[in-house]
Amino acid sequence: MHSTDLRVRVIAARNLIAADHGGSSDPYASLSLDRHNSPKKSHHKTRKIKKTLNPIWEENFNIPIRNIHTDTLWVQVWDWDRLSKDDPLGEKAIPLARLANEATVDEWFKLENVAHGEIHITLSWDGYKPPQHQAQQPKPSQQPQQTQQTQQPPQPQQPQQQQPQPQQPQQLQ
């Protein structure tokens, strides 16, 4: 794996729309850095799972990226059809700039351009560098200034003697 590879784990989808007769779909997901890439030509796609609206793929991909700050991962979910064009089940554009600030993104993404559906994806990138937290040192204007007065050593405290408390006269009964 090259150091500029994006690691993508396509875990599952849920509540997809039904595209086939009988109320189900044969879903698969395609991944691309180019929105207009055809799903049939995509090198990064999951296997199709027949007759489900809640597929579990658990598949990993390494995708070479050009620029983490400007690239966008296009995730498209499709219904596979044997004799006709595959039907779209939704898509999601994920800006990879998020990975410049987070080591891993693990999220259920709502699919767009459809009534409902979500896809669970984990993204990570080896180029992530955690922010360096430097110990904050006071600025020169904030440093305590030395005074030219000599400080007197603290005086030892004399033990305080307790003053006798006046006694209350006792009442006779």
Side-chain angles (χ1 to χ4, degrees):
M1 180 173 72
H2 191 269
S3 66
T4 58
D5 278 358
L6 174 69
R7 287 189 313 273
V8 182
R9 181 166 180 81
V10 181
I11 300 169
R14 64 184 175 198
N15 198 25
L16 296 176
I17 61 171
D20 291 340
H21 300 296
S24 68
S25 291
D26 303 320
Y28 69 94
S30 67
L31 311 169
S32 176
L33 296 180
D34 179 6
R35 182 178 189 184
H36 303 291
N37 198 12
S38 163
K40 296 281 189 187
K41 295 180 182 177
S42 176
H43 297 289
H44 308 287
K45 60 184 174 184
T46 65
R47 70 190 183 285
K48 68 180 175 288
I49 300 179
K50 291 190 171 194
K51 300 187 184 305
T52 184
L53 301 178
N54 301 294
I56 298 174
W57 291 292
E58 298 282 349
E59 294 186 35
N60 297 306
F61 302 92
N62 292 324
I63 301 174
I65 58 175
R66 297 175 293 264
N67 185 326
I68 194 70
H69 299 286
T70 59
D71 282 349
T72 297
L73 177 67
W74 290 93
V75 180
Q76 298 172 309
V77 181
W78 298 90
D79 170 54
W80 176 82
D81 287 321
R82 180 185 309 268
L83 301 175
S84 63
K85 186 176 175 186
D86 293 351
D87 302 311
L89 300 178
E91 65 183 2
K92 180 64 183 178
I94 305 169
L96 299 184
R98 287 182 63 178
L99 290 170
N101 300 318
E102 302 175 59
T104 302
V105 172
D106 183 348
E107 192 171 318
W108 280 96
F109 293 95
K110 182 176 179 344
L111 294 171
E112 297 170 354
N113 301 320
V114 288
H116 50 81
E118 295 177 290
I119 189 163
H120 187 191
I121 293 181
T122 301
L123 305 171
S124 59
W125 175 56
D126 284 335
Y128 170 75
K129 293 181 178 70
Q132 298 293 323
H133 294 291
Q134 297 177 351
Q136 296 239 344
Q137 302 214 354
K139 294 178 184 175
S141 63
Q142 294 176 337
Q143 291 180 350
Q145 295 189 3
Q146 301 282 334
T147 60
Q148 293 190 2
Q149 297 176 347
T150 58
Q151 292 183 339
Q152 298 290 329
Q155 298 293 324
Q157 291 187 354
Q158 298 290 331
Q160 291 185 347
Q161 295 180 354
Q162 286 190 333
Q163 298 287 331
Q165 296 291 326
Q167 295 204 354
Q168 299 275 335
Q170 293 184 355
Q171 291 181 346
L172 294 175
Q173 294 187 6

